[in-house]
Amino acid sequence: MKARKVLSGVGLLMMGLFAACGAGEKGADGTNGSNGEPGKNGEPGKPGDPGKPGDPGEAGVTGEAGTPGTPGTPGKGTPDPNYPLSGVVALSLSDSAASIPELVKARVVQYGSGTLPAGVQFPLVATSTDSVRALSGLKQSVVVKWLDPLRWDAAATAPRFGANADYIAYFGDGWSATAGNPPQWNGSSTSAWIFVNHEYVSGSSPTSTTDAKGQQLFFAQTLQSWGILTNDVTSSSWSDDALAKFIVQSKRQVGGSWLHIVQDPSTLEWAIDRNATSLRYDATDATLLKTTGYTIGTQKDDKGASLPSGVVVGTAGNCSGGQTPWGTVLTGEENTQDYYGDVEACWNGDQKFITGAGFDKGSDVAPSVAASLTSEYGKSSDAAHRKDRDAYGWMVEIDPGVAPTEYEGRTTAGTGHKKLGALGRARWEMAGFVVDGAWKIPTGKPLVMYASEDRRGGRVFKYVSKENYTAGMTKAQARSLLDQGTIYVAHFAGLDNLTGDTLVGGAVPTEAAPGTGKWIKLSVDSTDLAPNATALGTATKTVGEALKDKNWNGMGGFPNDDTVRKALFTACNKIGIMELNRPEDAEWNPKDLSGKPRLYIAFTNHTGFTALDQSGKMFDPATHATDSKKRPDAAGSIFSVEEADPSNPATSATFKYMRVWKGSTTPGLLATANPDNLMIDRDGGVWFGTDGAFRSAKQPDAIYYLDLDPAHKTLATPTYGVPFRVVTVASDAEATGPAFSSDMRTLFLAVQHPGEDVYSTWPAR
């Protein structure tokens, strides 16, 4: 309030001054002031909203096609990363059972009595998938597959797992720590060496005018990706040089692999131990073998240089085999006629006799042994890679772990690899020895080995060594027993030639009413009566006389045993041995549940013609097509054979035979078809794999336990003589090579040729 009063006083004073002075005149206008500084530019305004798109313009005129460019140089091969590959699978027991057989046998009893636990699938249903399926309680792992490196070396030339795995032999680490132990059921169950056969590369191989197909094309693409082939591998025109290179590499895919594997204790999975010195044995001169018990002409290596007497190049067509009690592996050279040509070219696919192939009547047999120029390997333009036909088709003994080029006796007597000429040439599938309940060779007796020939009309043979096996024999001494001995062939007398699996008249040979067979000595000095002697008008004709006769049964003569060994199939036909339905496997069971040792034989099938009639007389080639009848066995069967003296099969001249199981082409939970590989477990249980059930029975090939326990005949649901499915394999693959670890807690099997005819990507995921 005080400030307002002061301002009022000043205002009155000023008013007084203005009144006293009066108003003055208006002054002149002042000069204009200078312009001020320009103002700053304003801030830019915000962008406006986008305008709407304009309407599309009209299409332009299509230009003319350009001139095609020049084709580029073919690129490297690109093999399909999901291509199906054969391999070995391990199924390890994660259940509390003591072993896989114990688990399965317990399930058999539960199934038969109707007491299977809720939710347990047994047997495995016959569903076909592109996978490996197994019973619950089995942990699965893929151990190795085709072309996997076996060592820490991925170079193209390094040892790699071969094609189409088949037979498997298991050698647990330390199996030989105790003198006299066989490899069967001894040694480690979590660390082992295995030997695996490689049978073939499937599909069509390339020629100068045709392209490769199937596995052959995949392999060619792989070789191109490695830089081994530089041509266009998809072309239908291959140069001689490219074909020769391809054939050499194909030879490396057959034979066998020797590799070390270990199990992971936490996951139970098996894998390759690539630090170990794994090896490959194949069909090139990187593998050399000595032929014993047979005189063979001088052979040459892959450079054309002559080899020492009796030494041959490589092994091929390796199907099944056997594990010797002294720790080597037998591997059967089966379809070697595909590789270099057939020594026994006098038979066509219908078992009809063909003249002009070296077996014509009127003279001694003289078949060609030079390589066929149209055969798988013989077509090579490099003459050094064409081998004699009779260098292949033998049972081969591999000394595993020994360098592939170390043929027997090269450095050390009794060490190295050999071909068993004393057993003879055939399309060998397998071999098995007479052993006791501890899987040891009986002492003081000859060594006895059985072997089967896998072909329509093939036979089962028994080899008896010249010398006895004695206690304390060294490995080398035991091996020498395979060099000299006698071959016997099984004549299933009374078997119906129209069926091959029933007796004449249609009855099934059973344990109560078995068939009776004979072991016929197959030699030019054999005094056994020829089975077809009476039918051919000379009832007293001996086998030796018939074999040497240049006209007997419409075939030429066999002047000596070397000639007999060269052509076992023809020699058997000449004397009238009953033809069989493709005997794929024959295994000695020293602990058979019948209480007596028995031989089990898997007959896969036979839907073709026969060479002989019921009496063993050869059908006239001119009327063969109407006289011979096709056998109707599309499903196969399993027989058991009991020697006249099971304790000494070497001296048994006769045997009883029984059909213990018959296959079926009608799909079913307890049915399958086409038995192939057999396996006898440590306790005498019988197991088998199948080959062809995918086609004939419309269900996957698989591994089965065959229940033959006599006690199970009394179960509420009959199970005796019934196969129980344990594991199925992928797509149209074959289930081969079953083998147990030494404690039987792991089952190994080979998945062969998945996707050969149908779609598959196994084992890719």
Side-chain angles (χ1 to χ4, degrees):
M1 295 296 292
K2 288 181 178 180
R4 183 173 183 184
K5 289 180 178 180
V6 171
L7 289 173
S8 298
V10 171
L12 291 173
L13 176 61
M14 292 299 296
M15 290 175 64
L17 290 174
F18 278 113
C21 294
E25 296 181 1
K26 181 179 178 180
D29 294 337
T31 305
N32 292 335
S34 300
N35 292 332
E37 295 293 328
K40 294 182 179 179
N41 294 332
E43 295 294 328
K46 294 181 179 180
D49 295 331
K52 294 182 178 180
D55 295 330
E58 295 182 1
V61 178
T62 302
E64 296 181 0
T67 302
T70 303
T73 303
K76 297 293 183 184
T78 53
D80 182 356
N82 292 320
Y83 192 83
L85 301 172
S86 174
V88 172
V89 172
L91 297 165
S92 296
L93 187 63
S94 58
D95 187 89
S96 60
S99 67
I100 293 176
E102 290 304 314
L103 171 67
V104 173
K105 292 171 188 177
R107 293 284 186 251
V108 169
V109 172
Q110 292 169 342
Y111 178 89
S113 59
T115 59
L116 276 175
V120 171
Q121 183 184 125
F122 184 84
L124 197 66
V125 297
T127 302
S128 183
T129 66
D130 193 25
S131 61
V132 173
R133 299 169 51 250
L135 296 178
S136 58
L138 299 180
K139 173 71 175 180
Q140 178 185 153
S141 55
V142 177
V143 183
V144 61
K145 60 186 182 300
W146 185 23
L147 298 176
D148 277 353
L150 299 182
R151 305 179 191 168
W152 290 119
D153 184 352
T157 56
R160 290 174 178 264
F161 195 70
N164 284 329
D166 202 298
Y167 173 73
I168 301 171
Y170 180 95
F171 295 79
D173 286 356
W175 68 266
S176 59
T178 301
N181 269 358
Q184 293 89 342
W185 320 121
N186 287 298
S188 173
S189 297
T190 59
S191 180
W193 288 90
I194 60 172
F195 188 93
V196 183
N197 278 359
H198 302 297
E199 189 172 357
Y200 68 110
V201 179
S202 58
S204 301
S205 61
T207 70
S208 58
T209 57
T210 58
D211 56 352
K213 291 181 174 61
Q215 286 185 358
Q216 302 276 2
L217 175 58
F218 170 79
F219 184 53
Q221 291 172 324
T222 301
L223 293 175
Q224 192 177 57
S225 71
W226 290 345
I228 293 175
L229 293 178
T230 57
N231 60 304
D232 177 5
V233 298
T234 64
S235 170
S236 59
S237 177
W238 282 55
S239 68
D240 287 346
D241 180 65
L243 283 173
K245 288 180 180 178
F246 181 77
I247 289 169
V248 171
Q249 296 303 318
S250 294
K251 289 182 178 184
R252 297 183 64 196
Q253 305 313 304
V254 296
S257 291
W258 176 246
L259 60 152
H260 195 245
I261 58 174
V262 293
Q263 186 182 43
D264 186 323
S266 62
T267 65
L268 302 183
E269 294 185 351
W270 289 79
I272 304 173
D273 170 13
R274 289 193 166 92
N275 277 332
T277 307
S278 298
L279 298 171
R280 274 301 319 276
Y281 303 91
D282 61 31
T284 72
D285 65 2
T287 300
L288 297 175
L289 307 98
K290 182 69 177 286
T291 302
T292 62
Y294 172 80
T295 304
I296 192 168
T298 300
Q299 303 297 301
K300 296 183 178 181
D301 66 16
D302 290 345
K303 299 177 182 61
S306 295
L307 291 167
S309 176
V311 176
V312 298
V313 167
T315 180
N318 306 78
C319 193
S320 191
Q323 192 175 29
T324 71
W326 50 84
T328 59
V329 172
L330 298 185
T331 171
E333 295 183 324
E334 188 188 0
N335 289 307
T336 55
Q337 74 280 352
D338 295 338
Y339 297 118
Y340 292 107
D342 195 354
V343 170
E344 299 180 86
C346 57
W347 305 99
N348 72 3
D350 289 331
Q351 322 311 319
K352 173 185 173 182
F353 185 77
I354 304 297
T355 59
F359 291 86
D360 296 350
K361 64 181 180 180
S363 60
D364 284 337
V365 301
S368 172
V369 297
S372 165
L373 299 183
T374 60
S375 61
E376 193 70 15
Y377 297 160
K379 66 187 178 186
S380 175
S381 60
D382 186 345
H385 282 276
R386 301 181 203 137
K387 310 301 181 185
D388 285 351
R389 304 179 194 191
D390 66 335
Y392 304 88
W394 305 96
M395 190 63 69
V396 172
E397 186 181 17
I398 297 292
D399 199 354
V402 174
T405 55
E406 197 72 13
Y407 55 83
E408 190 189 49
R410 180 174 188 170
T411 303
T412 305
T415 297
H417 324 296
K418 64 183 178 182
K419 298 198 175 186
L420 307 183
L423 181 60
R425 281 188 72 262
R427 298 182 189 178
W428 293 119
E429 175 81 11
M430 60 66 58
F433 295 89
V434 169
V435 292
D436 61 21
W439 266 259
K440 297 180 180 181
I441 305 170
T443 59
K445 302 173 183 177
L447 177 75
V448 177
M449 177 176 68
Y450 298 98
S452 57
E453 182 180 26
D454 178 12
R455 66 184 292 172
R456 293 181 182 87
R459 278 81 172 188
V460 174
F461 298 85
K462 177 168 69 174
Y463 172 86
V464 179
S465 65
K466 180 180 179 181
E467 304 295 335
N468 288 345
Y469 177 83
T470 58
M473 268 190 164
T474 64
K475 175 182 173 180
Q477 290 170 331
R479 294 186 66 192
S480 69
L481 297 176
L482 296 175
D483 298 340
Q484 296 184 69
T486 303
I487 310 170
Y488 297 89
V489 60
H491 177 56
F492 285 70
L495 198 66
D496 192 339
N497 192 60
L498 294 176
T499 66
D501 66 354
T502 61
L503 299 174
V504 174
V508 174
T510 63
E511 190 164 12
T516 302
K518 299 178 180 179
W519 289 109
I520 305 294
K521 182 180 178 180
L522 199 57
S523 169
V524 295
D525 65 4
S526 174
T527 58
D528 293 337
L529 288 179
N532 57 9
T534 299
L536 293 176
T538 308
T540 59
K541 194 83 165 183
T542 67
V543 167
E545 292 169 340
L547 286 171
K548 289 183 287 187
D549 191 322
K550 298 179 182 180
N551 294 288
W552 189 259
N553 212 11
M555 302 171 221
F558 288 78
N560 52 51
D561 281 346
D562 255 6
T563 314
V564 171
R565 294 186 187 99
K566 185 185 295 184
L568 291 187
F569 182 74
T570 305
C572 290
N573 282 350
K574 186 174 176 67
I575 62 175
I577 301 297
M578 176 58 67
E579 297 166 79
L580 302 175
N581 291 359
R582 279 188 64 200
E584 291 240 20
D585 206 342
E587 296 287 345
W588 180 257
N589 189 345
K591 303 177 74 172
D592 190 66
L593 298 180
S594 67
K596 296 180 180 179
R598 283 182 175 171
L599 179 73
Y600 282 84
I601 305 171
F603 295 110
T604 297
N605 57 28
H606 193 333
T607 57
F609 295 97
T610 60
L612 313 175
D613 66 13
Q614 184 68 48
S615 68
K617 183 178 179 180
M618 184 176 72
F619 288 113
D620 184 342
T623 57
H624 179 274
T626 54
D627 293 345
S628 181
K629 306 300 179 185
K630 284 189 174 182
R631 286 186 177 176
D633 181 21
S637 59
I638 295 177
F639 276 44
S640 69
V641 166
E642 187 178 300
E643 293 277 20
D645 183 0
S647 65
N648 193 10
T651 62
S652 291
T654 62
F655 58 87
K656 295 188 297 185
Y657 61 89
M658 301 142 271
R659 194 178 81 186
V660 297
W661 174 76
K662 172 67 176 174
S664 172
T665 56
T666 301
L669 184 64
L670 298 175
T672 189
N674 311 119
D676 190 330
N677 294 150
L678 292 170
M679 175 178 63
I680 308 300
D681 69 34
R682 182 180 57 200
D683 302 318
V686 179
W687 303 69
F688 68 93
T690 61
D691 175 15
F694 183 84
R695 295 182 295 275
S696 65
K698 304 299 185 291
Q699 61 186 37
D701 282 313
I703 302 296
Y704 293 81
Y705 170 70
L706 183 61
D707 177 37
L708 293 172
D709 189 338
H712 293 175
K713 291 180 180 180
T714 61
L715 291 175
T717 303
T719 63
Y720 178 76
V722 171
F724 287 87
R725 195 176 297 105
V726 174
V727 53
T728 64
V729 294
S731 70
D732 62 337
E734 177 184 344
T736 67
F740 278 122
S741 59
S742 52
D743 63 358
M744 299 197 299
R745 290 184 62 84
T746 296
L747 171 64
F748 297 93
L749 68 143
V751 179
Q752 190 183 102
H753 61 68
E756 189 168 63
D757 296 317
V758 301
Y759 167 83
S760 176
T761 62
W762 190 90
R765 288 291 179 269

